[in-house]
Amino acid sequence: MTTLSFDETGVDVVYEGTEFRLEKALIEEAIDKEYHETTDHEVLKIVEKNPDLNGEPRRIDDILR
C-alpha cells in the first residue's frame, strides 16, 4: 500500500516501506500542470506502475483546504 501526505511544497510518500519526498516542481514537470490542479490519482501514477485507483480523484488544492 502506498501512502501520500500532501503539503504546500510537495508530497511525502511511503511506497513498499520506503519513504521519500516528491517536490512540487518535480510533480508539475511530470504531470505537466500546476501542482494545485494535479489530482492524488495522478501523483499515485508517478509512484506505482499499476495503482489501484479507488474512489474519485481529488485535486491537491482541495486536499490542502
Side-chain angles (χ1 to χ4, degrees):
M1 180 175 166
T2 302
T3 304
L4 304 175
S5 298
F6 297 89
D7 63 33
E8 289 293 332
T9 61
V11 182
D12 290 320
V13 180
V14 179
Y15 174 68
E16 295 185 354
T18 301
E19 297 180 29
F20 58 95
R21 178 135 178 105
L22 294 174
E23 295 295 332
K24 177 181 174 178
L26 177 72
I27 293 168
E28 288 177 335
E29 185 176 325
I31 303 297
D32 197 29
K33 67 168 128 173
E34 186 179 324
Y35 177 69
H36 288 276
E37 297 300 316
T38 303
T39 67
D40 56 345
H41 286 190
E42 291 170 317
V43 173
L44 192 55
K45 288 177 184 178
I46 294 172
V47 177
E48 291 188 38
K49 188 173 186 176
N50 294 308
D52 183 15
L53 301 174
N54 291 321
E56 292 293 317
R58 294 176 56 206
R59 289 179 342 143
I60 293 173
D61 191 47
D62 294 333
I63 293 168
L64 294 177
R65 286 187 191 178

